[in-house]
Amino acid sequence: MITALGGGSGAAKFLKGLTGVISPSELTVIVNTADDMDIYGIRVSPDIDTIIYRLSENIDEKKGWGLRGDTFEFLRAATRFGFPAWFGLGDRDLATHLFRKSIIDGGGTLSESTASIAQRFGIGEIRILPMSNDWIETWVETDAGEMHFQEYYIKYSMRPTVHGVNIKGTLEASPAPLVLESIDGADILIICPSNPIISIGPILKIKGVRERLINASGLKVAISPLMRGKPLKGPADKLMKGIGMEASSTQVAKLYADFLDVLIIDRSDEREKAAIEALGISVLVTDTVIPDDQSSERLSREILHFIESLDRTSNK
Ligand code: FO1
């Protein structure tokens, strides 16, 4: 059994390759929900949808989110009534959100709606678990005031300078069903190449998750989302620097050092290998750029082979 923890587009691309090299029924994904947001009276869950759309091959490849071929007529019509139009809610995507809303308004949970949506997109054999069914939202403090992460990321295109990140609701939130069990029961735990602050960070803040990871018997592996201090997409470096951290693979290793066994870094960060190994973490240096399914499958195959080589040496 493999349990992966991840967020949006980077995690989805990695997981798409992983499901090409292992049986999907062996995979559990614990997904970040701190990007969730209420808009037009609908609760959207971008990271869950991005993973389901990518794994079911319905993603809009160009954007990296939303449904392929989607249109935005609702959004255009909504502006007539003064609705905000900065969040690209597609017409087909809207059906997913309304279905999720119908389950939750009917007394169901985000876990149940996620399992049902995955089922209807034909990937029900993969267990996709929200990290929690409770309200959690990421807000960023910027020189333009405090705002929801999505507003910072989309409406203001990450232009405002970030001074702080508040992941609201994690203290009160409980792990969703099967989350802790899927950490305990995993042979391998993979931290996907997602933003360590707002995609992986919130999952690690959920009650019990971090200590289960520390005590889990499975091998814990992470893929750094940074190359020469930059992510392929998104604000990871801006947020890390905004809260006074270095934006580097070494810094990522330090954030996970209390549970991590292996960190996968890109060749462009090879010079950081020794500093990361000094933290007691094994390092695999390879090409972590995964623009398509075959490069993503190659990365997963390399990681699984590296893990087997570790097992062989450790069993000696
Ligand atoms: N990202 C954008 O850059 N612009 C958008 O308009 C946008 C709309 C959107 C709608 C639904 C959805 O599930 C995701 C969407 N995303 C958009 C991506 C989203 O902001 C990111 O995937 C995550 O929140 C960050 O990982």
Side-chain angles (χ1 to χ4, degrees), residues 75-88:
L75 216 47
R76 219 187 305 284
T79 53
R80 179 195 310 276
F81 302 105
F83 278 118
W86 55 268
F87 188 73

Side-chain angles (χ1 to χ4, degrees), residues 192-268:
C192 295
S194 301
N195 186 318
I197 309 300
I198 58 162
S199 295
I200 303 299
I203 304 175
L204 301 179
K205 286 181 189 299
I206 299 297
K207 249 188 290 311
V209 169
R210 195 158 202 133
E211 61 241 45
R212 293 295 183 104
L213 276 172
I214 291 168
N215 299 318
S217 56
L219 192 79
K220 292 132 228 176
V221 177
I223 299 109
S224 173
L226 301 178
M227 290 157 213
R228 289 198 178 288
K230 291 255 180 264
L232 282 181
K233 185 177 179 199
D237 53 330
K238 294 176 177 65
L239 298 180
M240 291 172 85
K241 287 176 187 161
I243 58 178
M245 288 181 186
E246 189 189 74
S248 68
S249 289
T250 307
Q251 177 64 67
V252 173
K254 287 175 184 167
L255 287 169
Y256 304 154
D258 55 347
F259 61 80
L260 198 62
D261 298 312
V262 181
L263 184 67
I264 320 293
I265 62 174
D266 189 73
R267 295 192 198 296
S268 57

Side-chain angles (χ1 to χ4, degrees), residues 8-9 35 46-47 49-50 65 86-88 93 97 149-150 153-154:
S9 52
D35 282 3
D47 283 1
D49 293 348
T50 300
W65 50 268
W86 55 268
F87 188 73
D93 194 23
H97 302 305
F149 166 72
Q150 294 296 350
Y153 181 55
I154 302 169

